[in-house]
Structure formats: C-alpha cells, structure tokens
Amino acid sequence: MKEFTRENIKNLVAYKVDAPQYEIIVNANESAYDFPMILKRQFCDDICNTDLNRYPEACFPELLEALSDYTGVPTEGIICGSGSDEVIALINQAFVDPGDVIVSHSPSFSMYEIWSSIANANYVPVPDLADHIPDLDSIIQKANELDAKIIYLCNPNNPTGYTFSREQILKVLNSVSALLILDEAYIEFFGESSVDLLKKYPNLLVLRTFSKAFGLAGIRCGYALGNKDIIDVLYKVKGPYNLNVMTQKIAVLALKNRDKILSHLGEIRSERETIKSELESLKTLKIYPSGSNFIFFETPLAQAIYQKLLDNNILIKWFKDTDRHPGSIRFSIGKPSENQQILSIIRKVVTENA
Amino acid sequence: MKEFTRENIKNLVAYKVDAPQYEIIVNANESAYDFPMILKRQFCDDICNTDLNRYPEACFPELLEALSDYTGVPTEGIICGSGSDEVIALINQAFVDPGDVIVSHSPSFSMYEIWSSIANANYVPVPDLADHIPDLDSIIQKANELDAKIIYLCNPNNPTGYTFSREQILKVLNSVSALLILDEAYIEFFGESSVDLLKKYPNLLVLRTFSKAFGLAGIRCGYALGNKDIIDVLYKVKGPYNLNVMTQKIAVLALKNRDKILSHLGEIRSERETIKSELESLKTLKIYPSGSNFIFFETPLAQAIYQKLLDNNILIKWFKDTDRHPGSIRFSIGKPSENQQILSIIRKVVTENA
C-alpha cells in the first residue's frame, strides 16, 4: 500500500490512556470541586428544552457575550474551541507554515510541542535558568534570531507554577515581532491577567479555559482573547460548528454563576500555601513557589513518593530525572482532607529515607 | 505589524452565521425529529452523576464499543471527533502535506474544499456529467495522473442525492492508490454501506455522523471507520481530549436506543418518494433521485421558490445559477405536515409562473 502518513507525523505517539481510576486524582490540575448540582439541574432543564437535532450556533453568540462580560474583551476579540487544545490547533492552521519557528521555554505545557510537531513547525524550547526561572533574554534572542512566528508563555507556568511579572511580559512584547501567546489557563488562581495589554499590543493573544478554576474539564471549552484582526483569521479556519450546544450552554451557565463557582479560589490558594510550608519543612524536597492550583517540587525521592502515593490509591504527576533536572512531582490542590492524606504519605516517605 | 496569516488562509471567508430563526427549517439536512424526551431525561440523570470537573475519557472506550456493535467494525478501527468536520481536519493533519492533491467531484459537500484550502492542499473537483452523474472515469484518471493523496466521495451525495453503486465504489478502489474517503453521513437513509469493504481495502476510510439519521446535530459527533493502520495515525494527531464527556454519553445512549431513534427512517423515505412524485408532476422542475433525507431539483424558478418559501417563514437551501447549471433547490424531508406546506407553496409558485 502507498504510504499516506506525513513524515512529521510518523514518529508521534498517540495519547491513548484510560481515565485514571484512583480514590484521589491530583495528576491533571483539575479542580477538586465538581460543577454544583443546582447548576447541573438547571443545565438539564435547559437541555430538555433544546432541539438537539439542530446544529449548534456556529459562533456561540451567548457565550461570547458572557465571556466578554467576564474578561472585559469585546465579543469580536473572542473565539472558542473544544478546549485550549483546539484553539492551539486553530492558531497553527491560521498562522504556521511548515518550518515556521515556535519558541517557548522548558519545561512548560507539553502540548505546545506536540501541536507544533503536527503543524510540522520547528519548536524551539529554551531551557530554564537555575531554579526554573525562564530565560527571558534567550527566549527573546532566539525568537528574533530565528524570526519566530509564535512564542508561547504559560502564565502561571505548567508544570513549575512560575508566574511572569508584568515587567517580564512587557519586555517580551516590546522586544519581539512574533505573536506572543500567553496561556492563562491557570490565571484565576494567580489573579494578574495580561488581558488589558491587548489594547496596546496587536501581537498578543491570550488563551483561557473552563478546565481549571471553573471546574469544567469535562465539557471541553477553551477560548482565545485577542485583537479583532487576529481573531478574525482564527474564525476562517474554525469548523462551522466546532462547539456543541451542550458545551455552549453549560459554559454560559458557569459564567453567569461565576461568583459561586470561583468561591473556592481563596481556599485553594490558602491550602496551597499551607502545603508548601509543610513540605518545606521536609528534607531533600525543593519546593517551588506556585501561582497556580498545584504544587511542584524536585527531590531524589520523586519516584518513591509517586509509588507510595499510588499504593495508597492516589495519583500524582511524576516527571522522571533528566540530564538537567532531578525527578520532580506535581500535584493539584485537592480538598483539605485529600491534601492532608497526600502530605502525610510524602512525610512518611521522606522520614523513612532520611 | 508583522504579517502572521498563512497565504492559503488569507482569502478564506469565515463561516459566521446566526442560527436560522424560521418556523420550518429544512436547509441543513437535519432530522426533523428531536432526540426523544425520555432519552434526554436519562442523559440528564447520567450528567448529574458525572464529575464534570474531570477530563473526559481520552479515547471514548464506551462509545467505541457501542459504535463497534452498530457498525460491525472492531473498536481499533474507529475514531471519533467533534463532527465529521473534526475528523476531516484530522485526516488532513495526518496525511496531507501542502501541495498534495485531493480529488472529488462537483457538486459535493462544500467542506471538502474548505478543509483542503486550510491544509494548503490542491483540491481538484471533477465536474459531474449530465444529470449530475459523477464522472467516475475522470475522477480515477485525475487521481492517478496527479498522484492524489485523497479522493472524497459522499454516498449518498450531498447536495444531489446521488447514490454510488457497489460496482462504482469497487471500480474506484481497484483503480487508484489514493486513500478513498467515503462520506456516509446519510447512509442510514440509503442502507447500502460500504463498511464491509474495509476488510479487503486498506486504503478505504468511511466517515459517519450523528447529525443526520440520529437527529443529534447539536452534539457534534462524527466518526471514521477504517483499518487499524490508518486509524492509528489519526489518533496521533487527535487532541488528547477532543470529545467532551456529554457528547460521549449522549452518543452511547443514542446507539443503545437506535431502534427507537431510527424508527423514523421508513417514514422519511416514504415521504421523500411522495414529495418526489408530486414535484415531478410540476412543469419546469427537474427532480433528481435521492437516496438521502433531502430532495434536490433544478429549475429556472429556483430563486422565486426560495423567496416565496422564505416569505412563508420556511428556510430551504438555494444554489444560484452557474455557467454549467441552472439554479437548484435542496430541502430536507420534514414532518409530513411541513412537507405538505412546502409542496403547496412550490406548486403555487410554479402555477403562477406557468
């Protein structure tokens, strides 16, 4: 048979995993809090009165209005997709030709590289400086030297929790001609969005999601905020009906009830700082400051901690040793009782290996 | 500002339309029958017991099982997406390099050309012979002469309703080395699927959808059936969580209750034939045989018919005159009373212009 597969796709590995079945699941930075039952029931009433035999709204007008109200960005500067994943795929389809350069830093969200490979782009991850401080000067230098089409910065960064300051973001924006994509998937936990910079910088695009602070990873809804010129191009490559009617409706409901849904933010931040302090008292663990809903630390005991938690029916994210970094652990902030269980197991592993 | 947009995207036009607000909507080949209320309620009970804060199953195992049961194709030969649209986008990302040739015939489903443009492919539509008979010999010749990567045939064809015979499909499969994509979006109305040919032809891929016979255009679920080698490559380019949990659940529910949902098929076919006979009795209308849930005809009165129906709060699809073809009309089979309203208005326009 003729070979159909593109060269750049041949060595990719498909993401094929079953949903994790553990008592405590804190490996994917999901919210520990499900969508409130009272809102689920409202959603269901709405669905019972919705003609599911009809195509959904092509350009989700109600959702755009609700997002505009939430973000302050005019509706013409917003586009939605099936998770930030689809939005990133749209960005590539709109702007990235084979061979184009996409710059980010390492470690950051793994999908930037995967989507770049699919687009047959040249992905250039600039290694962090010591203590996982992103090497901003090198990022800027690489982007300009290679005439990069796109720069990705995840703020706060996944997996390290690093938060970029306003000064750092302005420095990048003022130094490059590339499209700067700020992935604000976790911004609600941090609080300092860069959305207001859209007014001044036409080459800025901000990504957001309902999967984290809004506790709706299951519905797959992400969105991009940008200037009309950029957003208009994304609409050209969007499938006519890319967002199903159920996702549109539940996302609107979430935004209209965001005070209730986001009421957990304070608790999550305070739990994060409590966990951080407690872990800092343990030997061999190097804990990083986090502006997000997860904790990241390095330790030679990473594998042992991962395994012990797994034995206790708890799933966290373990990053193996590399040449440059010791093994590390990332786990999402769970409910207080879950956090205590995790802490006590980590404490035990560290003590046993002291 | 630097120009970010890819050359092949610049001249595309975004699909930005509001959902149609008419009393009778028969322009998009949707089902006239909504998902049954008893099943909507079951779906809602399920959603109330589902953790929406968790990512959905990455590879929709329950849906694959249910689709396998429905189609007879093993689960490893099935992949799902947010409508056939996403599946077509995946096919391009997996197999189509810029400049690759994609062959189809004209007129057929407009998205083949749009997705080809987005992939920067070279789309070659072979014009139909007289009476909208696809020119199979030329399709085969073009595909071989241009070393096409992909051939699209829509069976039954949208918008003409033409049905390809088993012999015709075998002829293509036996004559080309391209990947033949048979779009069976409307196959349930016709009945003669080519899925059994997958066993013999590794270069065949079949597309299906829940948007037509299953009456679930709102949920956005399409799927491809193929051999494992081809499907495996599609999984490589699929976003990790491309299908939200609600779509996965409602699609499974639909498949498990397919006897009930597909019970309208007989009525739709019989209404179609009744409408066809009645229209055939009218002068100036050239009616085409249809194996689908819609009627297609050509007439110099196309625009007048379209306008008169619109004035009566009824939306159909009108194709303007071209050099090669007079104006034509496509409308989906509605409920019997809707069909009668449409017929009586068409009859009136024809009589008035006699």
Side-chain angles (χ1 to χ4, degrees):
Chain A
M1 188 172 83
K2 181 165 158 177
E3 172 61 74
F4 297 119
T5 309
R6 299 170 73 195
E7 278 302 317
N8 58 310
I9 304 301
K10 283 183 184 164
N11 293 325
L12 285 178
V13 178
Y15 187 88
K16 276 190 149 181
V17 291
D18 294 330
Q21 304 294 332
Y22 294 90
E23 208 174 302
I24 300 179
I25 299 168
V26 286
N27 70 321
N29 306 341
E30 296 156 333
S31 171
Y33 298 91
D34 192 14
F35 199 58
M37 188 57 80
I38 189 169
L39 296 181
K40 281 188 180 176
R41 294 223 170 91
Q42 277 187 45
F43 166 68
C44 288
D45 287 346
D46 198 0
I47 286 303
C48 285
N49 291 307
T50 299
D51 291 335
L52 297 178
N53 55 325
R54 299 297 172 186
Y55 281 97
E57 286 277 4
C59 295
F60 23 79
E62 274 192 84
L63 180 51
L64 291 185
E65 287 294 342
L67 283 172
S68 181
D69 182 60
Y70 174 51
T71 63
V73 175
T75 55
E76 63 181 23
I78 312 175
I79 189 169
C80 304
S82 182
S84 296
D85 271 315
E86 188 192 3
V87 180
I88 294 174
L90 295 180
I91 289 168
N92 286 347
Q93 283 171 350
F95 303 119
V96 177
D97 280 305
D100 277 355
V101 170
I102 297 177
V103 172
S104 189
H105 65 110
S106 172
S108 192
F109 183 42
S110 57
M111 291 307 296
Y112 306 147
E113 178 161 11
I114 294 169
W115 285 114
S116 296
S117 301
I118 291 172
N120 205 3
N122 180 9
Y123 183 73
V124 179
V126 175
D128 283 348
L129 300 169
D131 297 337
H132 284 307
I133 311 285
D135 185 352
L136 226 53
D137 290 332
S138 294
I139 290 172
I140 291 168
Q141 194 198 327
K142 278 282 175 204
N144 289 333
E145 178 188 314
L146 301 172
D147 193 24
K149 189 60 94 65
I150 286 172
I151 299 173
Y152 277 101
L153 296 180
C154 184
N155 191 30
N157 188 48
N158 172 19
T160 59
Y162 184 85
T163 53
F164 291 89
S165 69
R166 168 63 56 127
E167 289 66 35
Q168 288 177 306
I169 289 163
L170 285 172
K171 184 175 174 180
V172 177
L173 283 167
N174 288 323
S175 312
V176 302
S177 61
L179 184 61
L180 174 62
I181 300 183
L182 271 185
D183 184 350
E184 293 192 342
Y186 301 92
I187 202 67
E188 286 91 351
F189 304 107
F190 177 38
E192 300 179 19
S193 171
S194 300
V195 160
D196 60 300
L197 295 177
L198 288 172
K199 288 193 181 127
K200 190 166 165 200
Y201 294 93
N203 61 327
L204 174 62
L205 195 69
V206 175
L207 300 187
R208 295 279 191 85
T209 181
F210 284 82
S211 298
K212 308 302 178 186
F214 276 91
L216 285 170
I219 72 163
R220 306 307 289 134
C221 190
Y223 55 103
L225 306 169
N227 283 282
K228 184 173 182 302
D229 286 353
I230 295 288
I231 296 294
D232 275 352
V233 186
L234 295 176
Y235 275 100
K236 290 186 180 198
V237 298
K238 179 182 91 57
Y241 306 106
N242 67 322
L243 208 62
N244 73 87
V245 68
M246 301 173 293
T247 295
Q248 290 188 37
K249 284 185 178 291
I250 205 164
V252 169
L253 195 60
L255 287 165
K256 288 191 172 160
N257 293 275
R258 60 184 180 261
D259 288 350
K260 183 180 174 66
I261 293 170
L262 299 180
S263 65
H264 297 296
L265 289 182
E267 180 192 291
I268 291 168
R269 284 195 204 106
S270 119
E271 279 287 303
R272 180 186 72 205
E273 294 311 308
T274 306
I275 295 168
K276 183 166 174 275
S277 306
E278 299 208 24
L279 289 175
E280 276 169 342
S281 71
L282 300 179
K283 281 176 189 162
T284 79
L285 268 51
K286 174 160 185 178
I287 321 294
Y288 284 84
S290 167
S292 195
N293 68 333
F294 53 81
I295 288 277
F296 179 82
F297 61 91
E298 291 174 331
T299 168
L301 297 174
Q303 183 170 6
I305 290 172
Y306 170 76
Q307 191 56 54
K308 190 71 174 181
L309 285 163
L310 212 58
D311 296 345
N312 283 272
N313 221 354
I314 300 172
L315 183 67
I316 61 170
K317 179 80 181 170
W318 162 46
F319 302 91
K320 292 184 190 176
D321 290 19
T322 66
D323 292 347
R324 301 186 60 252
H325 298 291
S328 54
I329 295 284
R330 186 197 68 198
F331 68 90
S332 340
I333 310 303
K335 292 177 181 167
S337 65
E338 297 174 333
N339 301 333
Q340 285 310 314
Q341 280 186 67
I342 294 168
L343 270 180
S344 100
I345 290 166
I346 295 177
R347 205 178 285 124
K348 208 168 156 191
V349 176
V350 173
T351 312
E352 281 171 6
N353 287 275
Chain B
M1 189 170 83
K2 183 166 157 176
E3 172 61 74
F4 296 120
T5 309
R6 299 169 73 195
E7 278 302 318
N8 57 310
I9 304 301
K10 283 183 183 164
N11 292 325
L12 285 178
V13 178
Y15 188 89
K16 277 190 150 181
V17 292
D18 294 331
Q21 305 294 333
Y22 293 89
E23 207 176 303
I24 300 180
I25 299 168
V26 287
N27 70 321
N29 306 340
E30 296 156 333
S31 171
Y33 297 91
D34 193 13
F35 199 58
M37 188 56 80
I38 188 168
L39 296 181
K40 281 188 179 175
R41 294 224 170 91
Q42 275 186 47
F43 166 68
C44 288
D45 288 347
D46 198 359
I47 285 303
C48 285
N49 291 307
T50 298
D51 292 336
L52 297 178
N53 55 324
R54 300 297 172 187
Y55 280 98
E57 287 277 4
C59 295
F60 25 78
E62 274 191 83
L63 180 51
L64 291 185
E65 287 295 342
L67 282 171
S68 180
D69 182 60
Y70 174 50
T71 62
V73 175
T75 56
E76 63 181 23
I78 312 175
I79 189 168
C80 304
S82 182
S84 297
D85 271 314
E86 188 193 3
V87 181
I88 294 174
L90 295 180
I91 289 168
N92 285 347
Q93 283 171 350
F95 303 120
V96 178
D97 280 305
D100 277 356
V101 169
I102 297 176
V103 172
S104 188
H105 65 111
S106 172
S108 192
F109 183 42
S110 58
M111 290 307 297
Y112 306 147
E113 178 162 10
I114 294 170
W115 286 114
S116 297
S117 301
I118 292 172
N120 206 2
N122 180 7
Y123 183 74
V124 179
V126 175
D128 283 348
L129 300 169
D131 297 335
H132 284 306
I133 310 284
D135 183 352
L136 227 53
D137 290 332
S138 294
I139 290 171
I140 291 168
Q141 192 197 329
K142 279 281 175 205
N144 289 333
E145 177 187 315
L146 301 172
D147 193 22
K149 190 60 94 65
I150 286 171
I151 299 173
Y152 277 100
L153 296 181
C154 184
N155 190 30
N157 187 47
N158 172 19
T160 59
Y162 183 85
T163 54
F164 291 90
S165 70
R166 169 63 56 127
E167 291 63 36
Q168 288 177 305
I169 289 164
L170 284 172
K171 183 175 176 183
V172 177
L173 283 167
N174 289 322
S175 311
V176 302
S177 61
L179 184 61
L180 174 62
I181 300 183
L182 271 185
D183 184 349
E184 295 192 341
Y186 301 92
I187 200 67
E188 285 91 350
F189 304 107
F190 177 37
E192 300 179 19
S193 171
S194 299
V195 159
D196 61 299
L197 295 177
L198 288 172
K199 288 192 181 126
K200 191 166 166 202
Y201 294 93
N203 61 328
L204 174 63
L205 195 68
V206 175
L207 300 188
R208 296 278 190 86
T209 182
F210 284 82
S211 299
K212 306 302 177 186
F214 276 91
L216 285 169
I219 72 163
R220 305 307 289 133
C221 190
Y223 54 103
L225 306 168
N227 283 282
K228 183 174 184 300
D229 287 352
I230 295 288
I231 296 293
D232 276 352
V233 186
L234 295 177
Y235 274 101
K236 290 186 180 198
V237 299
K238 180 182 91 57
Y241 306 105
N242 67 323
L243 207 62
N244 75 87
V245 67
M246 301 173 293
T247 295
Q248 290 189 36
K249 283 186 179 291
I250 205 164
V252 169
L253 194 61
L255 287 165
K256 289 192 172 160
N257 292 276
R258 60 184 180 261
D259 289 351
K260 182 179 175 67
I261 293 169
L262 300 180
S263 65
H264 297 295
L265 290 181
E267 179 191 292
I268 292 167
R269 284 195 204 104
S270 117
E271 279 287 303
R272 180 186 72 205
E273 295 311 308
T274 306
I275 296 168
K276 183 166 173 276
S277 307
E278 300 208 23
L279 288 175
E280 277 168 342
S281 70
L282 300 179
K283 281 176 188 161
T284 81
L285 269 49
K286 173 160 185 178
I287 320 293
Y288 285 86
S290 168
S292 197
N293 69 333
F294 53 80
I295 289 278
F296 178 82
F297 60 91
E298 291 173 331
T299 168
L301 298 174
Q303 183 171 6
I305 290 173
Y306 169 76
Q307 191 55 54
K308 189 74 174 179
L309 285 163
L310 212 59
D311 295 344
N312 283 271
N313 221 353
I314 299 172
L315 183 67
I316 61 169
K317 179 81 181 169
W318 163 46
F319 302 91
K320 294 183 190 178
D321 291 19
T322 65
D323 292 347
R324 300 186 61 251
H325 297 291
S328 54
I329 295 283
R330 187 197 68 199
F331 67 91
S332 339
I333 309 303
K335 293 177 180 167
S337 64
E338 297 174 333
N339 301 333
Q340 284 312 312
Q341 281 186 67
I342 294 168
L343 270 181
S344 99
I345 291 166
I346 295 176
R347 204 177 286 122
K348 207 166 156 193
V349 175
V350 173
T351 313
E352 281 170 5
N353 287 275

